[in-house]
DNA sequence: AACTTAGTCACCTACATTGA
DNA sequence: TCAATGTAGGTGACTAAGTT
């Protein structure tokens, strides 16, 4: 059974006249008769009652028409939606990212450049991002560390330093850079253990030869900042998060070990990416390449 | 009888599949 | 890779049957 047969049948059923239907479809009448005959042979029942040179939709035809009309409407709707998605102007990009300032900057910049493109943004854990990519719910996700997953491709586009934040009265507050091992005995304010940022900073501490003495675990970086101001401990913070802001604590560069993280924009290798999606990906990569000073690529 | 309409037949073309 | 083959969809010519 072919889509063409169904479309021809719908026209014949509506007009109940082969010649008029053929004219509307713009094919010769015999071709239409044969197509309808093939459809009927395929179904095993006649869809029309033939009475002389008149044809009339019969019970089978009416029942069949009732089923295929919404199906054909759905196909036409799908066709229109795909055309819409594939176009840049008015095209949609589905993205899972974080609220990191530099990403909100690039997203804002993209929208101002392409005001008709629509971005659908969600937040999710790394595991959920991978699931969403595989299910086709999103076009891209922004992650760190870069995903090492079968069938997923990515481009690293931003590398930033992870600094140490210390209270203003801390003994190292006047230093511009330190060795992380100097904080081996300090209390740490951390994100909860399941967060990738925490796993990364634990690895930094391990490289420095100690396990962090965690005195406080919070859900978000905003919570870390709140407790930093109380002076109960030190914390890891990404440098781009607070550029140019007076936060009531000091940010100190870590010289050793190498404390940096790299963000990647990732997508499913075999998934078709719309024009809008490809344009967005290229825009993100170009955006950070053009602003090396601000974002320390 | 002339016209109209649905169906049949022969043939052509395009395209997918298959096997060497 | 490419020729052979099968299938579907197309056309024009024609026939049969109903209508005017």
């Amino acid at each position: 059974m072919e889509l063409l047969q169904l479309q021809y049948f719908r026209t014949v059923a509506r007009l109940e006249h082969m010649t008029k239907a053929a004219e509307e479809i713009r094919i010769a009448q015999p071709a239409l008769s044969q197509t309808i005959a093939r459809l009927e042979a395929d179904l095993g029942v006649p869809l029309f009652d033939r009475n002389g040179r008149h044809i009339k939709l019969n019970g089978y035809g009416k029942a069949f028409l009732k089923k295929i009309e919404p199906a054909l409407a759905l196909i036409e709707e799908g066709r229109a939606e795909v055309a819409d998605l594939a176009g840049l102007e008015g095209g949609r990009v589905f993205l899972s990212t974080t609220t990191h300032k530099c990403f909100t900057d690039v997203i804002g910049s993209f929208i101002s450049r392409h005001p008709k493109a629509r971005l659908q943004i969600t937040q999710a854990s790394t595991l959920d991002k991978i699931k969403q990519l595989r299910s086709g719910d999103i076009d891209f996700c922004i992650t760190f560390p870069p995903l090492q997953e079968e069938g997923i491709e990515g481009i690293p586009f931003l590398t930033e330093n992870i600094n140490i934040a210390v209270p203003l009265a801390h003994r190292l507050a006047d230093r511009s850079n330190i060795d992380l091992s100097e904080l081996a005995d300090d209390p740490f304010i951390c994100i909860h253990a399941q967060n990738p940022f925490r796993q990364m900073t634990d690895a930094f501490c391990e490289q420095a030869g100690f396990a962090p003495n965690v005195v406080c675990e919070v859900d978000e970086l905003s919570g870390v900042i709140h407790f930093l101001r109380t002076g109960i401990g030190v914390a890891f913070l990404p440098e781009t998060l607070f550029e140019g802001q007076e936060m009531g604590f000091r940010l100190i560069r870590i010289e050793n070990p190498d404390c940096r993280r790299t963000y990647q924009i990732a997508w499913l290798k075999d998934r078709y990416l719309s024009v809008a999606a490809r344009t967005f990906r290229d825009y993100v990569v170009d955006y950070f390449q053009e602003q090396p000073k601000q974002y320390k690529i």
Side-chain angles (χ1 to χ4, degrees):
Chain A
M1 191 180 295
E2 304 292 331
L3 182 60
L4 194 70
Q5 293 174 336
L6 302 182
Q7 290 168 330
Y8 285 7
F9 164 70
R10 181 175 55 175
T11 304
V12 176
R14 175 164 51 83
L15 298 173
E16 293 190 321
H17 196 288
M18 282 286 188
T19 301
K20 286 178 185 170
E23 282 170 2
E24 185 170 310
I25 298 166
R26 294 171 189 271
I27 62 167
Q29 175 268 318
L32 183 58
S33 293
Q34 289 168 3
T35 301
I36 297 301
R38 276 193 296 272
L39 178 61
E40 290 177 321
D42 188 45
L43 290 168
V45 293
L47 297 169
F48 296 91
D49 288 333
R50 273 89 170 165
N51 183 16
R53 60 185 193 181
H54 296 289
I55 60 169
K56 191 166 178 61
L57 203 60
N58 64 20
Y60 297 125
K62 284 175 185 168
F64 190 56
L65 183 65
K66 197 175 170 183
K67 290 292 179 189
I68 67 152
E69 275 194 319
L72 288 172
L74 210 58
I75 290 168
E76 280 153 17
E77 187 186 313
R79 194 195 298 271
E81 191 168 328
V82 167
D84 176 52
L85 286 171
L88 173 59
E89 297 306 319
R92 279 190 202 167
V93 182
F94 296 88
L95 173 72
S96 182
T97 182
T98 69
T99 50
H100 197 305
K101 181 180 178 298
C102 58
F103 301 143
T104 51
D105 284 352
V106 69
I107 287 165
S109 172
F110 179 78
I111 289 171
S112 64
R113 184 74 65 87
H114 303 287
K116 289 185 178 174
R118 283 172 289 167
L119 262 62
Q120 200 96 14
I121 300 164
T122 57
Q123 288 188 290
S125 67
T126 302
L127 213 60
D128 286 340
K129 283 175 183 170
I130 294 168
K131 280 184 192 167
Q132 288 174 336
L133 277 180
R134 293 202 186 284
S135 67
D137 289 344
I138 55 173
D139 296 308
F140 302 112
C141 69
I142 289 173
T143 65
F144 81 90
L147 299 175
Q148 305 289 330
E149 288 282 327
E150 179 73 25
I152 292 178
E153 275 188 312
I155 299 176
F157 63 90
L158 168 65
T159 297
E160 67 173 353
N161 289 316
I162 304 300
N163 291 338
I164 276 291
V166 301
L168 296 174
H170 193 272
R171 70 181 190 285
L172 302 175
D174 59 345
R175 296 267 295 275
S176 58
N177 47 62
I178 58 165
D179 190 303
L180 184 57
S181 62
E182 294 179 62
L183 296 171
D185 298 324
D186 276 66
F188 273 80
I189 304 159
C190 293
I191 300 277
H192 63 79
Q194 284 73 42
N195 189 294
F197 186 82
R198 166 68 181 279
Q199 289 160 6
M200 177 184 67
T201 57
D202 280 359
F204 291 157
C205 293
E206 194 180 338
Q207 286 177 55
F210 69 95
N213 169 27
V214 180
V215 293
C216 178
E217 271 192 347
V218 296
D219 290 333
E220 295 176 352
L221 283 175
S222 56
V224 171
I225 293 160
H226 177 77
F227 282 105
L228 261 175
R229 290 186 185 130
T230 68
I232 67 165
V234 302
F236 289 98
L237 287 179
E239 68 177 339
T240 57
L241 201 57
F242 308 105
E243 271 187 347
Q245 296 181 42
E246 185 52 58
M247 300 300 293
F249 50 81
R250 289 264 189 278
L251 278 175
I252 305 172
R253 182 84 175 263
I254 301 168
E255 273 202 328
N256 185 52
D258 183 12
C259 294
R260 292 187 295 175
R261 69 172 169 182
T262 297
Y263 280 98
Q264 174 202 50
I265 181 163
W267 63 95
L268 200 61
K269 195 175 176 182
D270 297 326
R271 176 178 159 85
Y272 168 75
L273 292 175
S274 67
V275 174
R278 293 197 301 270
T279 304
F280 175 76
R281 177 190 60 195
D282 296 344
Y283 189 86
V284 168
V285 174
D286 291 346
Y287 181 89
F288 288 106
Q289 276 178 353
E290 286 167 8
Q291 305 194 40
K293 281 186 183 173
Q294 186 179 348
Y295 294 112
K296 315 284 194 296
I297 288 181

